[in-house]
Amino acid sequence: MVKTRKRLGDLLIESGLISEDQLETALKQKTQKEKLGDVLLQQGYITEQQLIEVLEYQLGVPHVSLYRYPIDPKVTNIVPKELASRSFLMPLKLDGEKLLIAMADPMDYFAIDDLRLSTGFEVEVAIATKDDILKAIQKYYDLEDAVEELYDEIPITDEAEVDSSSGLESPVIKLVNQLLVRAVQERASDIHIDPQEGNIVIRYRVDGVLRTERTFPKHMQKMLLARIKIMANLDITETRIPQDGRIKVTIDYRPIDLRISSLPTVYGEKIVLRILDLGNSLHQLDKLDFSSKHFRQLEKLLTEPTGIILITGPTGSGKSSTLYASLSKLNSEEVNIITIEDPVEYQLEGINQIQVNTKVGMTFASGLRSILRQDPDIIMVGEIRDSETAEIAVRASLTGHLVLSTIHTNDSISTINRLLDMKIEPFLLAASLSGIISQRLVRSICKNCKREQPLTVREREIFSRRGMENDKVYRGEGCPTCNMTGYRGRLAIHEVLVLNNEIKQMIMNDKSSQAIQDHAVKQGMMFLIDDGLMKVKQGLTTTEEVLRVATDK
C-alpha cells in the first residue's frame, strides 16, 4: 500500500503545474462529492496526462494504459462491479496473493482498504485515466455478459421475436442499455444501427466522425430494433415508413435525451439515435469558443432591442448551442421570451417554449402568428424553412421585437441571397436583418498527445494567403485517451457579419454577393477560414480540420 499521504493540490503546486490561486479557485468551486483532480481537469488547469505523471513521479505508482492491456476476465469475479464503478478502479490480474488494480485516484485510500477487506488479497495499485477505467468496466463487466446471454438465449433464426413485457434482466434490454452507456462514455453524439446483408453494424459518431463500434449477427437485428422502438413508443409492426420518437433516460446519474429516427432500407430498418446530454447542454456564451472580436460583435447584436439575428450552418454545426446560450444570456424577469421549435431540444426555465406539431396545424408560421399576440419582447424561431415563416419573422422584427433563428446556408453572406430567394423584399430585409453568425465544428487536438511541428509548404502558403504569420503548428500523435486519433472534443469556428448601413444600402441596390464580400473584407471581417487558422495558430486544432469545413475564399 502507498504510504505517502500528501494532498494532491500540494503535489501539483510542487510540480509547477498549477498556481496557489488556481488551487484556491478550484477548492472554492469543488462540491463535497467532487474530487479536486476532476475540478482541475474541468477548469482546464491541467490535463489528465499531467495529473497522472505527477502522481506517478511523486507517489512512485506506475501508470498503465488499458487500451491494449491484457486484462484477465476472471478477476472481475473477485471485485464487485459496484465497488469498481463507485471508486473508478479496474482489477487487472491476480498474482498469487497480490491483486493488481488500476485506479483513477491512487490516493483514495478508503477504496483500497475496502478492496483489501472485501477480497482478502494484498492490493497493488497502478494509475490509469478515468476514461480508460470506465471503458474497461463497461467492456468486461457489462457488454460482454449481455452479448453472451443473447447468444445463449436467442435462437439462430430470422424469426426471433421480442417480448415487450420481458423483465429488466432480459438480455436484449441489457445489451441496448450497455450500448447507450458506452455511447455516452465515449461522448458520442449519434448512434447508427445499420442493417447489412449478412450482419448489423453499430457505429458511434464521436467528435463528428463515424466509427464502427460492434458488429452483430443478422439474426439479432429484429430484437435490437424492436427493443429501441418499444423504448421510443414507436409502432414495432410498422417497418415500411419512417418513424420518429424520443426517449428520456438517466445514465450515470445524468439526464440524457435520445431522438430516434427509423428509416426503411433494403436490408431492414436503419435507426439513428441522436444523444443530447441535458446535463451539459446549457453553455455560457463566453465558453463557446468565440474569438474576442466575434464575442464583442455578438454581445452588441444581442443588446439591440429589435432586428433579426440568424445563426447559419449545416446540421450538427452547434447552432442550437449558440442559440440557447444567447437566450440564456437574454433571459431575465423583465422580458417575455417565447420560442417555437421543432423539436424543443432543451427546456429553459423562465422561457415559454412551443413545440411544432404539423399534424394539428401548429407550424412555424401559424405558431409565430400566435406568438405575436402574446406580448413578446424576444422571439426565437427554431428554423426558417419557408417563405411564410421568413416573412412573419421579418415583420415581427419591424414591429419592435428581437428575433433569433437559424437557417441552413453555407456562410453568412450567402444567407442574404437565400432570404431574397424566399421572396423577402430587399428593403424589408435591409431594414430588419441585424447580423448573421455562421459556424462550423472542428475537432480539438488531444491535450495528452499534443506535439509541436513545423509548418508544411502548403500550410505556409495558406497562412501567407490569409495575411497571417506562423512558424509552428500542433498535432496529436495518438494515444489511448483519444483512441489513437490525435483528436479529443470539438470546438467551434465562426464568422460574424454585422449589417451596417453600407451593406444594407447594397442589399437595397441589389448588389452581388461578391460586392458585399469585398466590402466586408475592407471592413476587416474575419471569415470562417480566418477564425479557424487563428485557432490553429493557438494550438487548438489542425489545418486539416479547418480546411475540412471551411473554404479558402
Side-chain angles (χ1 to χ4, degrees), residues 512-524:
S512 67
S513 296
Q514 188 60 51
I516 294 173
Q517 182 175 314
D518 292 342
H519 174 79
V521 170
K522 289 177 186 174
Q523 298 295 312

Side-chain angles (χ1 to χ4, degrees), residues 300-301 304 306-309 397-398 416 420 425-436 497-512 515-516 519-520 523:
K300 188 172 185 304
L301 287 172
E304 298 288 335
T306 64
I308 299 177
I309 302 171
S397 73
L398 293 175
I416 295 170
L420 292 172
E425 293 290 342
F427 70 93
L428 290 176
L429 184 59
S432 61
L433 196 55
S434 301
I436 306 167
L497 176 66
V498 178
L499 276 79
N500 55 24
N501 291 332
E502 289 86 354
I503 293 178
K504 291 185 176 187
Q505 193 64 47
M506 293 174 83
I507 293 171
M508 287 193 287
N509 293 338
D510 199 23
K511 295 290 184 181
S512 67
I516 294 173
H519 174 79
Q523 298 295 312

Side-chain angles (χ1 to χ4, degrees), residues 141-192:
Y141 278 99
D142 300 329
L143 196 54
E144 295 303 326
D145 291 345
V147 173
E148 282 175 20
E149 285 184 51
L150 264 178
Y151 275 117
D152 292 341
E153 194 164 299
I154 299 175
I156 310 297
T157 169
D158 286 338
E159 300 304 317
E161 298 293 338
V162 173
D163 177 9
S164 60
S165 63
S166 56
L168 288 175
E169 295 305 310
S170 165
V172 71
I173 294 176
K174 287 170 69 175
L175 178 59
V176 171
N177 289 348
Q178 294 313 319
L179 289 173
L180 295 178
V181 170
R182 174 81 168 161
V184 171
Q185 289 174 352
E186 291 279 328
R187 301 171 298 104
S189 60
D190 301 87
I191 305 172
H192 288 240

Side-chain angles (χ1 to χ4, degrees), residues 21-82:
D21 289 342
Q22 288 174 327
L23 176 61
E24 199 67 36
T25 303
L27 288 171
K28 285 178 183 175
Q29 293 180 348
K30 175 181 165 305
T31 63
Q32 194 170 359
K33 291 183 179 179
E34 283 183 308
K35 292 187 176 179
L36 177 61
D38 292 337
V39 177
L40 291 167
L41 288 170
Q42 287 165 12
Q43 293 299 314
Y45 294 149
I46 56 172
T47 66
E48 199 162 15
Q49 194 62 36
Q50 288 173 329
L51 178 61
I52 284 173
E53 284 170 3
V54 165
L55 294 172
E56 185 177 15
Y57 175 74
Q58 296 283 2
L59 305 180
V61 179
H63 166 228
V64 294
S65 169
L66 303 185
Y67 187 65
R68 290 193 179 93
Y69 193 91
I71 296 173
D72 182 0
K74 294 177 184 175
V75 294
T76 57
N77 298 323
I78 300 170
V79 179
K81 180 195 168 187
E82 292 72 21

Side-chain angles (χ1 to χ4, degrees), residues 16 31 44 103 121 149 201 241 249 263 275-276 321 344 371 503 525 541:
T31 63
M103 296 185 73
F121 292 106
E149 285 184 51
V201 178
I241 60 172
V249 293
L263 186 72
I275 301 172
L276 297 173
S321 294
V344 174
I371 286 173
I503 293 178
M525 178 178 167
T541 187

Side-chain angles (χ1 to χ4, degrees), residues 283-412:
H283 299 280
Q284 294 176 332
L285 206 55
D286 58 359
K287 292 184 178 178
L288 290 184
D289 310 310
F290 280 94
S291 66
S292 54
K293 178 182 178 180
H294 286 158
F295 184 70
R296 287 194 303 271
Q297 289 175 317
L298 179 55
E299 270 198 319
K300 188 172 185 304
L301 287 172
L302 292 173
T303 58
E304 298 288 335
T306 64
I308 299 177
I309 302 171
L310 292 176
I311 302 170
T312 81
T315 303
S317 59
K319 299 189 298 296
S320 295
S321 294
T322 305
L323 207 52
Y324 281 106
S326 301
L327 285 178
S328 296
K329 186 173 180 64
L330 294 168
N331 190 13
S332 70
E333 64 178 19
E334 289 86 17
V335 293
N336 177 23
I337 303 177
I338 306 180
T339 76
I340 180 160
E341 308 167 59
D342 182 23
V344 174
E345 292 194 13
Y346 307 119
Q347 294 174 4
L348 303 175
E349 191 174 345
I351 292 178
N352 308 286
Q353 295 173 273
I354 302 169
Q355 169 74 51
V356 166
N357 187 347
T358 52
K359 291 179 182 176
V360 296
M362 173 63 85
T363 62
F364 277 118
S366 62
L368 198 45
R369 284 196 194 91
S370 300
I371 286 173
L372 293 173
R373 294 193 286 272
Q374 288 281 317
D375 184 32
D377 297 293
I378 299 165
I379 300 168
M380 191 270 267
V381 183
E383 184 184 343
I384 293 178
R385 295 177 179 171
D386 52 49
S387 303
E388 191 179 9
T389 308
E391 187 177 343
I392 299 168
V394 165
R395 296 195 181 279
S397 73
L398 293 175
T399 52
H401 305 94
L402 180 63
V403 180
L404 282 73
S405 189
T406 69
I407 189 168
H408 284 260
T409 55
N410 289 329
D411 54 44
S412 54

